[in-house]
Amino acid sequence: SNTTFRVYDWDRVDQDGKPRPLHIEQAIQAIDFSMSPVTPVAQDHQLQTTRETLVECDKFSICRWTSGDQRVMAEIGDDNSFHVLMVTRGSILLQGAEGPDHVSMGQTVLLPACLRSIPVEILPGSEFLEIFLPQIEPRRTIS
């Protein structure tokens, strides 16, 4: 997660005006072609809500939450890990002590590790990514 392999650089140049080096062979060697692209982890068919693991490595995990045509409540946090929520479609409501905070498509929120679990209302037709530390299994509920 802390290495960059450039496979295309949009014709950008370095400080001397020369094209920056590409790392095509290194990128190909780093790809695990045997990995499954997406693993469904939790799904509630009645509420049409899905949480899928997109990436899981020793540095971080990324899950995608997708809602159907109903509002869905989820609890995220309270596991000694930060959680980054990135809304990629629709919007969610974070239920804080001072009322709900609306997070729309394109916005990102950092929930610090010291935060207790926080209720997240996933609005109909919405999707967000959740990024967290993998060595700590997140505790969540869907209702």
Side-chain angles (χ1 to χ4, degrees):
S1 68
N2 60 357
T3 302
T4 299
F5 294 129
R6 280 188 215 96
V7 293
Y8 185 70
D9 201 24
W10 303 101
D11 299 323
R12 287 185 270 187
V13 294
D14 64 16
Q15 59 191 5
D16 297 324
K18 297 180 181 174
R20 300 192 312 175
L22 300 181
H23 309 100
I24 296 169
E25 283 303 314
Q26 295 95 324
I28 289 172
Q29 290 175 9
I31 296 171
D32 184 351
F33 290 99
S34 68
M35 286 184 61
S36 170
V38 175
T39 305
V41 175
Q43 187 168 22
D44 186 321
H45 295 288
Q46 183 179 5
L47 297 175
Q48 300 175 349
T49 302
T50 304
R51 182 176 62 87
E52 302 167 298
T53 300
L54 301 179
V55 176
E56 194 165 41
C57 68
D58 63 332
K59 305 283 191 254
F60 60 90
S61 292
I62 302 176
C63 292
R64 176 175 52 205
W65 291 76
T66 307
S67 69
D69 57 3
Q70 298 180 34
R71 290 177 176 241
V72 176
M73 291 299 294
E75 291 281 333
I76 294 179
D78 198 20
D79 58 4
N80 297 318
S81 173
F82 68 87
H83 291 261
V84 175
L85 308 182
M86 303 172 75
V87 179
T88 55
R89 185 176 68 222
S91 58
I92 61 176
L93 296 173
L94 301 178
Q95 304 296 331
E98 298 176 14
D101 285 317
H102 190 260
V103 185
S104 298
M105 184 174 79
Q107 294 182 313
T108 300
V109 174
L110 169 65
L111 305 176
C114 64
L115 188 67
R116 305 295 268 173
S117 68
I118 184 165
V120 177
E121 185 174 354
I122 310 167
L123 299 179
S126 296
E127 176 183 274
F128 69 95
L129 301 178
E130 175 191 16
I131 299 96
F132 54 92
L133 296 174
Q135 62 267 31
I136 303 169
E137 177 57 30
R139 198 175 87 207
R140 346 177 147 72
T141 59
I142 300 173
S143 58

